[in-house]
Amino acid sequence: MSEQITGNEIIDAELAQLSSLNEVNIEPAKLMEHLGNAVNSTSISKTAFLEYMHESIAPVSLFFTRYKCALMEIETKFRVLDEEFSLQHDRNPINSIKCRLKKIPSIKEKMERKGIPISISAIEENLNDVAGVRVTCSFPEDVYNLADALLKQDDITLIEKKDYIQNPKENGYRSLHLIVAVPIFLHSEKRSMKVEIQLRTIAMDYWSVLEYELYYKKRDNAEIETELKKYA
């Protein structure tokens, strides 16, 4: 006999925690339909619930796993380059490497801003920054040397390049942005994944943190722009 839990407990607790995932792949109404009349009774089968959750969440989990693997590929490439450059120049050009996956609420907001219906395939096709890597270096020449070395690799495809170091934004922001495609190899598939790469110096990175802090204070935009240009 399977373990029984109350319908209200499972719906309120588990679906509340998974509310962000619902926007992408899970619809509570389908859970109700799947579990049938049991939901309307005092208890539901935990096994039935878990089976449905696994079926619903699996595509989302695979979606993020693919991007996570792409981040691992790019990070490894930069660490290898850093090791090689250290032999040539007796110093490491990379100060830090940070990787991040965009959170589901941010993905949802960006897709809605673009006016694109939300689905996993649509996200993969239309968003370039689900996976992001930020590389900080000591000097601007390190930024360009690393970017050039990465883009010469035959499994890297450049999709987009924006040089905000040579052409800073009006508010003073400086960084080299690359959108690349990198293949990942899973058990049963080879798949090309997009990754956003930001390369900047330590000084540029400090400035970007300052920019965030100033905007976070929610002061007048004109005042923020003036202060950012001063600090830049």
Side-chain angles (χ1 to χ4, degrees):
M1 180 173 166
S2 62
E3 180 184 354
Q4 300 291 311
I5 52 179
T6 66
N8 286 339
E9 285 178 354
I10 201 67
I11 293 168
D12 291 345
E14 299 295 338
L15 288 184
Q17 292 179 23
L18 295 169
S19 60
S20 58
L21 289 177
N22 292 343
E23 301 294 345
V24 176
N25 201 60
I26 301 172
E27 298 179 16
K30 289 186 177 180
L31 173 62
M32 302 297 188
E33 180 182 351
H34 178 82
L35 296 176
N37 294 331
V39 174
N40 296 321
S41 65
T42 58
S43 65
I44 62 175
S45 164
K46 184 175 182 180
T47 300
F49 174 82
L50 292 178
E51 285 177 354
Y52 179 79
M53 284 293 98
H54 176 75
E55 177 185 326
S56 300
I57 295 173
V60 179
S61 298
L62 179 59
F63 168 83
F64 282 109
T65 294
R66 288 169 176 160
Y67 278 108
K68 183 179 179 181
C69 291
L71 289 177
M72 293 166 65
E73 292 281 355
I74 295 297
E75 181 179 8
T76 298
K77 287 177 178 296
F78 277 119
R79 294 203 181 280
V80 170
L81 290 172
D82 188 53
E83 188 68 22
E84 180 193 9
F85 277 40
S86 70
L87 294 176
Q88 296 176 352
H89 306 288
D90 198 30
R91 69 178 183 85
N92 293 89
I94 296 178
N95 177 262
S96 69
I97 302 175
K98 296 180 181 179
C99 300
R100 66 105 182 99
L101 287 174
K102 207 174 191 68
K103 296 185 181 298
I104 289 179
S106 297
I107 292 174
K108 175 178 178 289
E109 179 185 355
K110 193 163 189 177
M111 291 291 284
E112 289 177 344
R113 196 164 62 242
K114 288 175 173 284
I116 302 171
I118 298 174
S119 70
I120 288 177
S121 60
I123 293 168
E124 290 181 334
E125 181 179 350
N126 293 281
L127 296 191
N128 294 329
D129 61 346
V130 173
V133 178
R134 180 177 299 158
V135 181
T136 57
C137 309
S138 297
F139 306 104
E141 55 265 31
D142 295 331
V143 168
Y144 291 108
N145 287 337
L146 287 167
D148 290 343
L150 178 72
L151 295 176
K152 286 178 182 177
Q153 298 185 16
D154 60 11
D155 59 344
I156 293 290
T157 302
L158 178 64
I159 297 174
E160 183 177 282
K161 179 179 180 179
K162 293 184 178 180
D163 190 343
Y164 296 116
I165 298 177
Q166 295 295 325
N167 303 286
K169 291 185 177 182
E170 289 187 4
N171 60 8
Y173 175 84
R174 301 177 70 197
S175 184
L176 179 64
H177 288 200
L178 306 173
I179 305 296
V180 303
V182 61
I184 62 169
F185 298 84
L186 301 180
H187 174 69
S188 59
E189 68 171 336
K190 172 186 175 182
R191 193 179 187 93
S192 181
M193 302 299 297
K194 291 184 287 187
V195 179
E196 180 191 52
I197 303 171
Q198 298 178 359
L199 298 104
R200 60 182 66 149
T201 65
I202 299 171
M204 294 172 192
D205 192 53
Y206 279 137
W207 183 93
S208 68
V209 173
L210 176 63
E211 177 194 31
Y212 174 82
E213 292 295 332
L214 287 174
Y215 276 107
Y216 184 74
K217 291 178 180 178
K218 298 180 180 179
R219 296 186 299 175
D220 178 75
N221 284 342
E223 181 185 355
I224 292 173
E225 292 289 340
T226 300
E227 195 160 346
L228 285 173
K229 289 179 181 178
K230 179 181 70 174
Y231 290 129

